[in-house]
């Protein structure tokens, strides 16, 4: 019976274009726009980064370690002063002066762990305020160089390959550096909320259209009706996020990270966003209210959770607030996978937090929606 | 046959040992309005029972309780021996709501498939039933079309099909002909007429109740105020035949006095410059009345005999017109 209710809901969703647009077309479009703008930025914009004080071999190794995209050219510069002059003059977009005399083993990790810290012992990252990408790639080069140097200085069984140290060339939460890998899952999370809100709206519409009462007259329990409807909302959400994952990956070359981890996070994010989405919209009395709640709360959670602006670019208090939202936890989980390249096991924590959020809000949603269905 | 409602022993005399539907003392309050107040009636197997009443009388509220959509504040419901609101009771009922309750984006077949599945029909049996039911309501050739593209009357017929699909033991129709063109209306009435199952039919069209229903309950303001066959109700509460004489500018007083002298005339009074006579049997007195008029030199421009109908029953019971 639950399956019958859910399938009917899904079939109607497919017919009802407005829902189709909200749950699939809009996120897809968003993914496409993001994909084109971010994929384009990396391949078409030429960025020149100058490096002084490093041997050609070190530079080559560092370039490989920092995984610079095509279009970034690294050029050797004779001195720190030359780097500064070229960056100021515009012939370079950014630069790194390596100052071997000031370098210590312990400080080598700083550019890797914190690429935004430009004046670390041993490095001078030279930037021009107007070139965001220049700064980004200069910092990446600094991180790459330090990782190579670091790898040379520690025993080889600890760091088998320099590249494994310099896994992050762009990072969440520092200097507003963003990319498709960051945005794609986050946009998907926002649309999960909107999608579940639209699902609830469809239930409210069914109530005013009288079909809900007609279903209630049939020999099935209210819980079966509610679970059927919730299942349809969950499946729609899961399809939404999977489609965004597939499209951004295959069409635009995004990398969400370890597929198993992504799968786990997709399910976690979907149950949590559906739970909270259904619960909040179930507080609405009319379709219009439900629609308003969906849009406003969806946007609010997205902002607070850091889905739209990386919370790293906001004051610290927001980073704490973000963890009060499922969006924030989804961001943490997806961030570990796509930004830090961590394995699936790293998202078990965020996954269970999302699951807990889903259980609480889903339970509340269930009782609220049951009230709508019960005689 | 006919009885005043409220006397429960009277109800027992009309009904078989195990009625398909039995409601006793139903009461439902919305806020401080008593929508249904102590409604008691039963429907026997195969019987068509009409619930006749004006807007806001409590028809839909009564039906909602029978179909398990609303919980009565007081009273008992039994459907086919099962307590009202249970899954067994719901399975025995075919509910056709007052307003269209189908998905406009889906075709009739898709709608019926869904509702059929809710009543545990599936596979070949479901397909066969859908075909039969669409045939029954005259929509066999439009089954593949979306409900949204149907005319108002076709939507109503499809709505009814959804209630008939699982072959319920009791069909509950809530004003199925409101706002329906005569063609669809006839189709609906015809369909109900040939079903042979127990039917609860609410309407505020007295002609429909008269034509279709074996027994009629008259409901007003939440109360079931009378119940019986149409003939019995009219016989008991409808009053007498009325003979209406249109007589242009004649001396009515003299004619009225002469008519009062006639046999079988119970009452004569003036209405808008015409005369209206009450009699037990209009056609029987007609020739005598015309003769009297001729004798008094009154030129009758029209004579009309009207037998009482359910409208008169309602008027005499409530002092109100059925349709306002
Ligand atoms: N859900 C509700 N909440 C509040 N009042 C209600 C509700 N449903 C019905 N009522 C009230 O109960 C009374 C009976 O309504 P009901 O719908 O049963 O009448 P009805 O006989 O079906 O009328 P109609 O012929 O117009 O359909 C009305 O006064 C109506 O306003
Ligand atoms: Mg009604």
């Amino acid at each position: 019976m639950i399956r019958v209710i859910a399938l009917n809901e899904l079939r109607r969703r497919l017919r009802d274009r407005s829902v189709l647009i909200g749950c699939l077309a809009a996120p897809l479009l968003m993914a496409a726009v993001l994909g084109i703008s971010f994929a384009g930025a990396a391949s078409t914009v030429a960025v020149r980064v100058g490096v002084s004080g490093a041997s050609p071999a070190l530079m080559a190794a560092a370039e490989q370690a920092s995984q610079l995209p095509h279009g970034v050219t690294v050029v050797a510069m004779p001195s720190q002063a030359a780097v500064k002059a070229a960056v100021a003059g515009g012939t370079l977009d950014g630069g790194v002066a390596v100052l071997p005399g000031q370098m210590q083993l312990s400080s080598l990790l700083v550019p890797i762990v914190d690429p935004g810290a430009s004046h670390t012992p041993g490095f001078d990252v030279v930037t021009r305020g107007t070139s965001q990408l220049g700064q980004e790639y200069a910092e990446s080069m600094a991180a790459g160089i330090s990782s190579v140097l670091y790898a040379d200085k520690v025993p080889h069984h600890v760091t088998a390959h320099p590249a494994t140290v310099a896994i992050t060339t762009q990072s969440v939460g520092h200097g507003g550096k963003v990319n498709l890998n960051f945005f794609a899952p986050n946009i998907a999370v926002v649309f999960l909320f909107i999608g579940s809100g639209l699902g609830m709206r469809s239930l409210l519409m069914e109530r005013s259209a009288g079909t809900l009462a007609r279903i209630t007259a049939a020999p099935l329990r209210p819980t079966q009706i509610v679970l059927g409807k919730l299942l349809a909302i969950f499946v729609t959400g899961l399809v939404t996020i999977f489609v965004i994952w597939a499209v951004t990956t295959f069409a635009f070359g995004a990398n969400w990270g370890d597929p198993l981890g992504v799968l786990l996070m997709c399910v976690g994010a979907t149950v949590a966003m559906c739970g909270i989405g259904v619960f909040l919209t179930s507080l609405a009395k009319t379709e219009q209210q439900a629609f308003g709640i969906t849009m406003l709360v969806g946007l609010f959670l997205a902002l607070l959770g850091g889905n739209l602006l990386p919370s790293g670019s906001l004051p610290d208090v927001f980073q704490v607030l973000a963890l009060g939202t499922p969006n924030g936890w989804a961001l943490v989980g997806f961030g570990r996978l796509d930004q830090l390249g961590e394995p699936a096991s790293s998202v078990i924590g965020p996954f269970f937090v999302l699951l807990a959020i889903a259980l609480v809000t889903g339970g509340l949603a269930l009782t609220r929606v049951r009230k709508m269905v019960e005689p | 046959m006919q009885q005043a409602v409220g006397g429960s022993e009277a109800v027992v005399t009309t009904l078989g040992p195990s009625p398909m539907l039995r409601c006793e003392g139903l009461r439902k309050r919305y806020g401080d309005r008593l929508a249904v107040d102590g409604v008691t009636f039963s429907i026997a197997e195969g019987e068509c029972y009409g619930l006749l009443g004006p807007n806001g009388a409590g028809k839909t509220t009564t039906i909602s309780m029978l179909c398990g959509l609303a919980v009565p504040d007081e009273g008992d419901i039994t459907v086919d021996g099962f307590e009202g609101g249970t899954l067994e009771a719901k399975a025995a009922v075919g509910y056709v709501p007052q307003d269209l309750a189908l998905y406009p984006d889906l075709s009739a077949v898709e709608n019926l498939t869904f509702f059929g599945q809710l009543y545990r029909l599936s596979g070949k049996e479901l397909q066969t039933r859908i075909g039969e039911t669409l045939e029954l309501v005259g929509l066999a050739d439009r089954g593949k079309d979306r409900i949204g593209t149907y005319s108002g009357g076709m939507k109503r017929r499809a709505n009814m099909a959804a209630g008939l699909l699982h072959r319920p033991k009791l069909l509950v129709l809530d004003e199925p002909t409101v706002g329906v063109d005569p063609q669809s209306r006839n189709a609906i009435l015809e369909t109900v007429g040939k079903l042979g199952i127990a039917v609860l039919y609410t309407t505020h069209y007295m002609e429909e109740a008269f034509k279709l229903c074996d027994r009629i309950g008259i409901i007003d303001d939440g109360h079931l105020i009378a119940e019986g066959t149409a003939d019995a109700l009219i016989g008991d509460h409808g009053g007498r035949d009325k003979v209406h004489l249109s007589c242009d500018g004649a001396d009515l007083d003299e004619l009225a006095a002469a008519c009062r002298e006639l046999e079988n005339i119970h009452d004569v009074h003036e209405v808008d410059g015409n005369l209206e006579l009450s009699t037990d049997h209009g056609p029987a007195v007609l020739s005598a009345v015309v003769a009297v008029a001729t004798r008094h030199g009154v030129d009758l421009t029209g004579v009309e005999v009207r037998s009482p109908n359910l409208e008169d029953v309602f008027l005499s019971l409530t002092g109100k017109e059925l349709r306002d």
Side-chain angles (χ1 to χ4, degrees):
Chain A
M1 276 306 124
I2 295 173
R3 196 180 51 97
V4 169
I5 300 268
L7 283 177
N8 176 60
E9 183 72 17
L10 290 171
R11 166 181 283 153
R12 284 180 40 240
R13 294 284 196 93
L14 283 174
R15 290 286 164 79
D16 176 4
R17 281 178 213 90
S18 71
V19 179
L20 210 55
I21 287 169
C23 294
L24 276 185
L28 270 183
L29 192 72
M30 199 88 166
V33 168
L34 288 170
I36 288 163
S37 50
F38 285 106
S43 58
T44 58
V45 177
V47 177
R48 288 165 59 85
V49 176
V51 179
S52 72
S55 68
L58 176 58
M59 275 175 61
E63 233 184 296
Q64 197 209 341
S66 51
Q67 301 172 344
L68 295 178
H70 300 296
V72 180
T73 319
V74 181
V75 290
M77 299 298 284
S79 67
Q80 186 179 11
V83 172
K84 283 186 170 164
V87 171
T91 43
L92 289 181
D93 298 293
V96 184
V98 182
L99 314 166
Q102 301 168 29
M103 211 170 272
Q104 301 139 16
L105 181 63
S106 62
S107 64
L108 270 179
L109 280 178
V110 174
I112 305 171
V113 177
D114 184 6
S118 52
H119 292 282
T120 48
F123 290 94
D124 182 14
V125 175
V126 184
T127 59
R128 193 174 65 242
T130 51
S131 177
Q132 167 86 32
L133 284 175
Q135 174 182 346
E136 211 167 283
Y137 295 128
E139 285 166 5
S140 295
M141 267 309 280
I145 292 168
S146 58
S147 72
V148 174
L149 292 174
Y150 187 80
D152 276 350
K153 288 187 179 159
V154 296
H156 270 260
H157 64 268
V158 178
T159 54
H161 192 276
T164 58
V165 180
I167 26 187
T168 129
T169 58
Q170 294 141 335
S171 89
V172 208
H174 285 101
K177 281 174 290 179
V178 288
N179 62 13
L180 182 59
N181 291 355
F182 168 79
F183 260 127
N186 282 294
I187 291 297
V189 166
V190 176
F191 274 99
L192 285 178
F193 184 88
I194 293 177
S196 61
L198 289 177
M200 270 304 288
R201 182 164 158 254
S202 129
L203 193 62
L204 286 166
M205 283 162 79
E206 262 212 69
R207 184 170 66 173
S208 53
T211 43
L212 194 59
R214 182 65 190 77
I215 294 174
T216 316
L220 55 160
R221 286 172 225 291
T223 310
Q224 292 177 307
I225 303 175
V226 177
L227 287 178
K229 296 289 181 188
L230 294 187
L231 181 64
I233 292 174
F234 172 71
V235 170
T236 312
L238 215 51
V239 169
T240 301
I241 197 163
F242 282 157
V243 166
I244 297 178
W245 183 18
V247 169
T248 52
T249 301
F250 295 117
F252 302 109
N255 181 8
W256 289 31
D258 184 329
L260 190 65
V262 173
L263 208 63
L264 210 58
M265 282 308 298
C266 283
V267 173
T270 307
V271 285
M273 294 311 282
C274 287
I276 196 165
V278 170
F279 169 61
L280 287 174
T281 31
S282 70
L283 300 174
K285 293 212 162 48
T286 64
E287 301 148 37
Q288 288 84 355
Q289 274 180 12
F291 191 68
I293 290 178
T294 305
M295 292 305 165
L296 282 179
V297 179
L299 201 65
F300 179 73
L301 282 178
L303 280 172
L304 205 62
N307 297 123
L308 300 182
L309 294 171
S311 58
S313 62
L314 299 170
D316 283 354
V317 58
F318 280 93
Q319 311 211 23
V320 177
L321 282 178
L323 295 182
T325 65
N327 306 55
W329 282 101
L331 182 116
V332 168
F334 281 118
R336 286 186 185 167
L337 298 169
D338 63 38
Q339 303 295 315
L340 305 176
E342 289 178 17
S345 59
S346 69
V347 299
I348 289 175
F351 173 76
F352 277 108
V353 174
L354 289 172
L355 212 58
I357 292 175
L359 282 177
V360 173
T361 55
L364 290 170
L366 201 77
T367 45
R368 289 282 319 176
V369 180
R370 254 191 76 108
K371 284 223 178 73
M372 285 172 64
V373 173
E374 267 174 352
Chain B
M1 249 321 191
Q2 189 272 333
Q3 65 249 300
V5 170
S8 56
E9 81 261 56
V11 173
V12 174
T13 57
T14 333
L15 297 152
S18 61
M20 188 48 67
L21 171 75
R22 206 170 52 80
C23 310
E24 240 178 273
L26 288 188
R27 194 160 274 132
K28 181 75 186 175
R29 185 182 285 280
Y30 288 118
D32 49 359
R33 168 178 290 125
L34 257 174
V36 170
D37 188 7
V39 165
T40 298
F41 68 99
S42 300
I43 303 179
E45 232 169 276
E47 183 185 32
C48 181
Y49 187 97
L51 209 50
L52 182 67
N55 289 137
K59 302 184 293 294
T60 300
T61 307
T62 303
I63 282 184
S64 301
M65 292 188 281
L66 303 184
C67 297
L69 304 177
V71 181
D73 297 333
E74 272 174 57
D76 293 312
I77 298 165
T78 317
V79 184
D80 193 25
F82 299 105
E83 191 189 331
T86 58
L87 298 190
E88 291 86 353
K90 284 180 172 183
V93 174
Y95 170 50
V96 181
Q98 183 165 5
D99 301 310
L100 181 80
L102 298 172
Y103 300 104
D105 285 335
L106 303 185
S107 71
V109 170
E110 287 167 329
N111 268 289
L112 293 180
T113 303
F114 171 60
F115 285 110
Q117 285 169 339
L118 293 187
Y119 288 85
R120 310 222 160 25
L121 294 173
S122 62
K124 192 110 189 81
E125 189 189 15
L126 178 58
Q127 296 317 312
T128 317
R129 291 280 183 92
I130 290 174
E132 285 171 6
T133 313
L134 285 176
E135 191 76 48
L136 184 69
V137 298
L139 287 174
D141 52 337
R142 296 293 302 268
K144 296 262 182 302
D145 297 345
R146 291 188 186 193
I147 296 289
T149 67
Y150 279 19
S151 73
M154 290 164 69
K155 283 178 186 162
R156 285 310 193 96
R157 284 191 263 163
N159 204 30
M160 189 156 120
L164 281 170
L165 193 63
H166 64 287
R167 299 202 184 133
K169 295 184 171 169
L170 170 69
L171 181 68
V172 176
L173 294 153
D174 197 356
E175 308 207 28
T177 58
V178 170
V180 166
D181 59 286
Q183 185 198 346
S184 282
R185 187 171 169 162
N186 284 337
I188 289 173
L189 292 177
E190 232 170 75
T191 310
V192 176
K194 64 188 174 200
L195 282 175
I197 57 173
V199 175
L200 175 60
Y201 191 100
T202 80
T203 181
H204 58 254
Y205 295 125
M206 62 101 191
E207 322 88 64
E208 283 183 4
F210 185 80
K211 250 195 271 178
L212 201 63
C213 301
D214 302 320
R215 279 189 312 136
I216 294 165
I218 294 186
I219 186 170
D220 183 42
D221 212 8
H223 299 275
L224 199 62
I225 50 178
E227 186 186 61
T229 63
D231 289 343
L233 282 171
I234 292 166
D236 280 26
H237 303 281
R240 302 191 159 98
D241 284 7
K242 298 267 190 304
V243 179
H244 191 88
L245 306 175
S246 311
C247 20
D248 265 353
D251 179 2
L252 292 180
D253 290 345
E254 210 174 299
L255 179 59
C259 286
R260 273 187 201 102
E261 299 301 308
L262 290 172
E263 227 169 284
N264 287 328
I265 301 283
H266 297 279
D267 183 35
V268 179
H269 60 271
E270 204 185 311
V271 184
D272 303 331
N274 298 310
L275 278 191
E276 193 167 270
L277 324 177
S278 302
T279 170
D280 286 329
H281 193 51
V285 299
L286 212 54
S287 56
V289 169
V290 173
V292 167
T294 315
R295 216 175 326 124
H296 284 80
V298 174
D299 208 2
L300 292 180
T301 56
V303 180
E304 192 192 341
V305 180
R306 201 174 69 78
S307 305
N309 57 26
L310 290 168
E311 197 92 43
D312 300 300
V313 173
F314 191 80
L315 185 67
S316 94
L317 285 170
T318 65
K320 295 185 290 192
E321 301 272 338
L322 189 50
R323 264 171 286 182
D324 33 21

